[in-house]
Amino acid sequence: MSKRVLLLGLPPIVLLAIAAALAYVSVEWDEAAADRTAAERLTLYRQTILGEYNKFRYLPYMIARDTRATNVLGLGQTDASANRFLEEMADNAGASLLYVMDRSGTTLAASNWADELSLVGRNYAFRPYFQSAIAGDEGRFFAIGATLGEPGLFLARPTPVSGEPLGVAVVKVDMRGLERAWAEGGETVFATDRNGIIFLSSVADWRYKSLAPVPGPVRAAIDETRQYATQPLTPLTNTADPAAEVLTIDGRAFRHTVADVGLLDWQLHFLVPVEAARQTVWPIWAGAIGLSLLYIVALLMLRGRALRRASAVLLQESAGLRELNRRLTDEVEERKRVEAELIKAQEGLARSNRLAAVGQMSAAVAHELNQPLAALRMFVAGTRKFLQKQDLGAARDNLDEIESLQERMAALTQELKRFARPSESRIERIDLRDSLKAVEKIARPRFDETGVSLSMDLPDEALTLETARLRVEQILLNLLRNGAEAAGQAHEQSGGGTVHVSARQDGAAVRISVSDNGVGVPEELRERIFDPFFTTKLSSGGLGLGLSISGRIADDLGGSLEVSSNPQGGATFLLRLPGGTGQRPPAGVSGVREPEPAE
Ligand code: ADP
């Protein structure tokens, strides 16, 4: 079980367990209290019954001794003065009936002589009270009146009070006042006779019912005395034990307390509804359940608050994240902007670099040109002197020198022009094998000069490119020349200088490698050889522009030019050119340009 469920469930469970224990104890207490109250009430009601009995018990005795009443026995018939006497006595004593019977059980005088249903002349010899009294005892009997149908306690005495009885004096006590008092007190009380028949009850419906089923012989005996007239005496409960602690009547359970009245085997019964006897149970349960619910609600509310707080923190955090995200987006935007500015600046820098290069180159060119110019001046002056001396041979030699100087100067200016103004950039579909063959032709004299051998490995199928043919050829020529020169140096020392060219289709692109077995490029110079005016051939008239121009053209055509060292010595230049159209137009050039005049 998780800690949270335990925290939520355990206190209510403990609370309910305590409530159960309390409820049990309280039921015990309540029932004990109810039983005590019942016993007290029963004692009181018993007193009132006995009080009523005691109030009237001597009245028949008085009547039995009074000749004003008993004279009828001598007369053997009713008598007006006796009737009036009884009437007056009944009124004064509060008895419901007073009457005198002869020894055969026939009423000779009665207090209700004047009523329509007068007892006078009627015979009640079947009543047990008469039979007891005529036998010389005190007669006591509760019954429903045989004539008037009203219930009452019949008390009888023989008359004369001593000696052979000649008749019987009877008082009938109406006890319904007691019932009314019980009912008005809101209590459930009833009295049963020795047979368990309810004859007085605060609940009218229960009257003349039996607490337990009445056995047949008992029923027959009752009928003989006409005690309860024609009442069916149906059982009120099915209980086998009329003294049971709990009685169920009409589906309702009652706590049942019984007390003997001490008169005629009567019993008084006090009933309290079971739920009323357990009334403190409900507040205990309600309190416990209420407290449990309160606890759970409070706990859930606290939890809800904690959750709300947590979600507020989450909200705050997500707001923080959003803010962070926004800042990042801003930064990305800013970075893009700066990048664009940088590219712009770079382009500007490239332009100014080129300008600076032009400036640098101008200085180099000026320097380069000054030497041959000075030499030219010398040779021209010398030639003049040789011509004056008619030394034509020496003059011719000088002219040769002049011519070579001129050639060098022309080459220099040509390079300068190329650098400042790229050659034709018209894009056309070419077969690179043709270009390589054309370049080979141009470079051939240089190879012959150096004694370096040139081999080419070209595929059988066309190497088609859409590119600026003249510019590609310019690169290739540069690479072949450099190769020839590098291998030439080695050749001078040990011979066997070679340059090998191979070209291959590589996807849509074409890769051309120019490999020699010359001096190679030291690691530390790899980057620098592509710088303008970097040369190791100053002495032999190198300008240091070839690779820088070639690199730039390759770049402009969307390709690349790289150098690497051969394992067996020498350098390999790898030129990669994209095959299709779509390469970016050469820098500083837009669209198609007219071809420059041939060199
Ligand atoms: P130049 O040939 O006029 O010096 P380049 O720009 O063509 O100018 O070459 C720059 C330098 O690169 C050369 O001076 C040389 O030192 C080096 N270089 C170029 N090609 C090769 C090669 N095939 N082998 C060794 N070094 C080379």
Side-chain angles (χ1 to χ4, degrees):
M1 205 189 294
S2 81
K3 206 173 142 195
R4 198 180 302 156
V5 175
L6 213 65
L7 190 69
L8 192 71
L10 194 62
I13 287 171
V14 169
L15 211 62
L16 292 177
I18 292 172
L22 272 179
Y24 178 78
V25 173
S26 91
V27 164
E28 298 282 301
W29 282 348
D30 277 358
E31 285 178 353
D35 289 350
R36 266 199 311 279
T37 309
E40 282 165 15
R41 306 302 287 166
L42 286 180
T43 307
L44 182 73
Y45 295 142
R46 179 174 163 272
Q47 297 299 343
T48 55
I49 290 176
L50 288 178
E52 201 76 351
Y53 165 67
N54 285 328
K55 189 170 143 194
F56 290 103
R57 71 179 287 197
Y58 295 106
L59 192 54
Y61 181 77
M62 309 282 285
I63 299 299
R65 284 169 56 102
D66 200 317
T67 51
R68 286 173 288 187
T70 55
N71 67 347
V72 287
L73 294 174
L75 291 172
Q77 60 174 44
T78 191
D79 174 66
S81 67
N83 281 336
R84 270 197 295 275
F85 172 71
L86 288 176
E87 186 180 10
E88 195 183 320
M89 286 299 281
D91 277 352
N92 284 335
S96 76
L97 281 174
L98 269 178
Y99 51 100
V100 176
M101 307 157 88
D102 65 14
R103 55 186 308 140
S104 69
T106 303
T107 307
L108 296 180
S111 57
N112 73 338
W113 60 276
D115 291 353
E116 197 182 331
L117 290 173
S118 163
L119 302 192
V120 178
R122 297 180 195 271
N123 187 290
Y124 301 110
F126 56 89
R127 292 293 204 188
Y129 65 85
F130 169 76
Q131 288 159 10
S132 295
I134 208 68
D137 295 331
E138 184 184 2
R140 294 180 297 194
F141 188 62
F142 187 92
I144 297 175
T147 308
L148 301 172
E150 286 167 4
L153 175 62
F154 295 85
L155 300 174
R157 291 281 185 153
T159 180
V161 291
S162 55
E164 181 68 14
L166 296 174
V168 172
V170 186
V171 61
K172 183 184 176 189
V173 184
D174 188 353
M175 300 188 92
R176 285 174 298 177
L178 288 180
E179 276 184 334
R180 276 195 296 279
W182 297 342
E184 278 163 16
E187 286 170 341
T188 311
V189 189
F190 58 78
T192 50
D193 65 13
R194 62 163 67 92
N195 297 316
I197 310 295
I198 298 169
F199 62 92
L200 288 177
S201 172
S202 62
V203 182
D205 282 352
W206 297 355
R207 202 178 297 129
Y208 309 130
K209 289 197 169 151
S210 62
L211 249 194
V214 185
V218 176
R219 173 78 215 218
I222 291 170
D223 286 347
E224 208 170 298
T225 62
R226 291 160 63 183
Q227 187 177 9
Y228 295 114
T230 52
Q231 291 293 337
L233 308 182
T234 46
L236 188 62
T237 67
N238 287 325
T239 178
D241 174 18
E245 207 172 60
V246 174
L247 286 182
T248 304
I249 301 171
D250 296 337
R252 210 168 154 206
F254 292 92
R255 202 160 173 78
H256 178 213
T257 312
V258 192
D260 287 331
V261 177
L263 173 71
L264 293 172
D265 297 332
W266 287 356
Q267 284 191 315
L268 262 177
H269 303 256
F270 192 90
L271 300 185
V272 180
V274 164
E275 62 268 28
R278 297 175 176 179
Q279 48 199 344
T280 46
V281 168
W282 305 118
I284 288 172
W285 278 115
I289 291 168
L291 276 176
S292 299
L293 286 178
L294 207 70
Y295 173 83
I296 290 169
V297 166
L299 207 68
L300 289 177
M301 266 170 68
L302 280 175
R303 231 189 112 50
R305 203 190 297 166
L307 276 176
R308 273 200 297 283
R309 216 174 290 151
S311 75
V313 169
L314 271 179
L315 267 178
Q316 241 173 23
E317 278 176 4
S318 76
L321 273 176
R322 269 204 299 281
E323 171 63 19
L324 196 69
N325 194 31
R326 194 186 59 71
R327 282 220 304 270
L328 271 175
T329 316
D330 285 357
E331 272 172 28
V332 167
E333 287 298 318
E334 176 68 8
R335 201 182 61 76
K336 275 189 190 154
R337 198 180 57 74
V338 169
E339 214 172 59
E341 275 178 8
L342 212 65
I343 287 168
K344 233 191 261 173
Q346 251 173 4
E347 281 169 2
L349 207 64
R351 252 197 315 278
S352 54
N353 263 353
R354 204 172 300 134
L355 286 175
V358 170
Q360 268 178 19
M361 197 168 67
S362 306
V365 166
H367 178 74
E368 288 292 321
L369 286 179
N370 276 340
Q371 282 179 342
L373 277 174
L376 266 180
R377 245 197 323 272
M378 272 171 55
F379 280 121
V380 169
T383 308
R384 240 186 226 120
K385 276 191 183 141
F386 287 136
L387 283 177
Q388 278 169 8
K389 287 184 199 165
Q390 295 290 320
D391 185 351
L392 290 178
R396 199 172 294 123
D397 286 348
N398 266 11
L399 282 175
D400 285 347
E401 287 294 337
I402 286 168
E403 195 179 13
S404 99
L405 283 171
Q406 180 271 330
E407 272 173 8
R408 176 163 171 73
M409 287 163 74
L412 199 65
T413 51
Q414 188 62 38
E415 285 299 320
L416 179 65
K417 215 166 87 183
R418 275 192 206 169
F419 187 76
R421 228 175 137 213
S423 58
E424 199 221 347
S425 303
R426 189 174 50 177
I427 305 294
E428 56 191 307
R429 181 181 282 264
I430 61 162
D431 181 352
L432 193 80
R433 293 179 306 175
D434 299 341
S435 291
L436 277 168
K437 282 171 197 154
V439 169
E440 186 198 355
K441 253 186 220 151
I442 300 168
R444 178 56 64 193
R446 192 80 186 109
F447 280 88
D448 294 344
E449 220 172 276
T450 53
V452 172
S453 71
L454 172 64
S455 59
M456 279 208 185
D457 173 19
L458 300 179
D460 293 337
E461 57 280 3
L463 296 168
T464 311
L465 292 175
E466 278 189 40
T467 191
R469 184 178 57 83
L470 286 179
R471 308 196 73 193
V472 170
E473 287 176 4
Q474 191 180 345
I475 301 174
L476 294 172
L477 189 59
N478 254 325
L479 296 179
L480 287 186
R481 273 186 190 152
N482 278 347
E485 277 160 18
Q489 282 177 18
H491 190 78
E492 269 173 26
Q493 288 153 22
S494 51
T498 59
V499 170
H500 181 70
V501 177
S502 90
R504 285 283 173 277
Q505 192 79 44
D506 177 17
V510 170
R511 294 157 62 96
I512 309 110
S513 78
V514 178
S515 194
D516 62 63
N517 60 353
V519 289
V521 183
E523 176 79 38
E524 64 274 14
L525 295 184
R526 286 239 177 103
E527 293 293 322
R528 289 184 62 201
I529 59 172
F530 291 97
D531 288 349
F533 299 107
F534 175 83
T535 181
T536 54
K537 303 173 200 163
L538 261 181
S539 53
S540 58
L543 291 173
L545 287 172
L547 283 182
S548 99
I549 290 169
S550 299
R552 213 187 80 207
I553 294 171
D555 209 28
D556 286 349
L557 294 176
S560 61
L561 179 60
E562 286 162 17
V563 66
S564 62
S565 293
N566 297 332
Q568 66 279 11
T572 295
F573 284 83
L574 185 70
L575 173 65
R576 198 185 147 277
L577 292 171
T581 48
Q583 67 262 44
R584 55 194 167 108
V589 183
S590 60
V592 176
R593 289 179 53 174
E594 284 304 313
E596 282 175 37
E599 290 174 29

